Amino acid sequence: DGGITQSPKYLFRKEGQNVTLSCEQNLNHDAMYWYRQDPGQGLRLIYYSQIVNDFQKGDIAEGYSVSREKKESFPLTVTSAQKNPTAFYLCASSTQVNVWNEQFFGPGTRLTVL
Amino acid sequence: AQKVTQAQTEISVVEKEDVTLDCVYETRDTTYYLFWYKQPPSGELVFLIRRNSFDEQNEISGRYSWNFQKSTSSFNFTITASQVVDSAVYFCALGFSPLNKAAGNKLTFGGGTRVLVKP
């Protein structure tokens, strides 16, 4: 079945460590996105990529990094520079940047910093 | 700048009651899109509806209905005869105009409204 997979579902990290969250899609979508969700709040855009080998900062990119070497993959690294990384992270994808279509979301990764 | 406001943080109803979720948006674009998503306890967002700014017709899909009023910048969502399975967080989102290529398909989300349907 086509969809978006995120791994792991739960992730624990010690302070000062970098950690990478995986996002893979087999929908053949051009665009991919990373959002952060804090308890009781909406989604905030971290990074997005409209095409392979290209990505742009979203509203809260500080302390995060991404890569887009393959169309189906858009990993997110939470670096030690991110002051408050504990949150729920959602990956999404959508087709054709210049034609409005809904974003499809993965199941999310819950990151906890110990 | 774009902004979406969902003033109701939580709504609690008894099964079979109707519930209306408010969404007010701000944008300078004359062409834009609005979305509603459902986030059940599992966490994954589920797409419910997309509406473009040129189409102000109300829409009904089963027990769900949407009221888009451009004059008041609102896109409200009603669940009729609510069921326990409707318990979730519901998000309203606003997208840039398709003409704004630099913006891509970025969405601005509201803070969400948690709906609790009690049996």
Side-chain angles (χ1 to χ4, degrees):
Chain A
D1 283 0
I4 302 175
T5 57
Q6 290 186 243
S7 60
K9 188 174 179 64
Y10 298 96
L11 188 57
F12 298 90
R13 187 195 98 176
K14 293 182 180 179
E15 279 194 37
Q17 286 182 339
N18 291 357
V19 63
T20 297
L21 282 58
S22 169
C23 177
E24 304 276 333
Q25 54 98 359
N26 60 5
L27 301 168
N28 199 32
H29 284 171
D30 296 304
M32 297 186 74
Y33 315 81
W34 274 106
Y35 293 91
R36 169 182 171 139
Q37 184 180 20
D38 292 285
Q41 296 189 32
L43 281 66
R44 292 183 290 168
L45 183 65
I46 304 172
Y47 268 97
Y48 65 103
S49 169
Q50 301 182 55
I51 196 169
V52 175
N53 292 323
D54 184 56
F55 49 83
Q56 286 79 41
K57 292 181 179 180
D59 302 319
I60 55 166
E62 186 175 350
Y64 300 97
S65 66
V66 293
S67 62
R68 187 85 187 277
E69 298 176 0
K70 298 186 296 182
K71 188 175 185 178
E72 57 271 21
S73 178
F74 191 40
L76 173 74
T77 297
V78 184
T79 75
S80 56
Q82 169 50 233
K83 300 304 179 188
N84 185 19
T86 295
F88 186 54
Y89 291 86
L90 285 158
C91 178
S93 70
S94 68
T95 187
Q96 293 187 6
V97 173
N98 60 346
V99 175
W100 255 106
N101 287 288
E102 65 271 21
Q103 293 182 14
F104 292 84
F105 284 80
T109 292
R110 193 167 299 279
L111 172 64
T112 303
V113 174
L114 304 173
Chain B
Q2 307 219 123
K3 184 178 179 181
V4 177
T5 302
Q6 294 180 253
Q8 305 147 307
T9 55
E10 185 166 324
I11 300 175
S12 182
V13 297
V14 176
E15 206 169 18
K16 296 185 182 178
E17 287 184 344
D18 297 348
V19 56
T20 295
L21 311 180
D22 298 332
C23 173
V24 175
Y25 61 91
E26 297 174 29
T27 181
R28 292 182 196 151
D29 285 0
T30 54
T31 304
Y32 49 87
Y33 282 76
L34 294 159
F35 299 80
W36 275 96
Y37 283 87
K38 174 182 180 180
Q39 185 178 40
S42 60
E44 185 171 341
L45 265 72
V46 177
F47 166 77
L48 296 178
I49 190 172
R50 174 183 67 244
R51 176 54 48 91
N52 74 59
S53 53
F54 295 121
D55 183 3
E56 290 195 66
Q57 282 190 336
N58 292 334
E59 183 158 342
I60 299 174
S61 176
R63 295 183 297 106
Y64 294 169
S65 62
W66 290 270
N67 184 326
F68 176 34
Q69 293 197 339
K70 208 168 179 178
S71 59
T72 56
S73 297
S74 66
F75 187 42
N76 297 337
F77 172 34
T78 297
I79 303 172
T80 302
S82 60
Q83 300 176 0
V84 173
V85 293
D86 295 326
S87 296
V89 180
Y90 291 87
F91 290 99
C92 180
L94 171 65
F96 286 96
S97 163
L99 301 176
N100 189 344
K101 301 291 179 64
N105 274 11
K106 291 194 299 181
L107 295 178
T108 299
F109 283 84
T113 298
R114 180 177 300 278
V115 173
L116 178 61
V117 181
K118 300 176 182 176

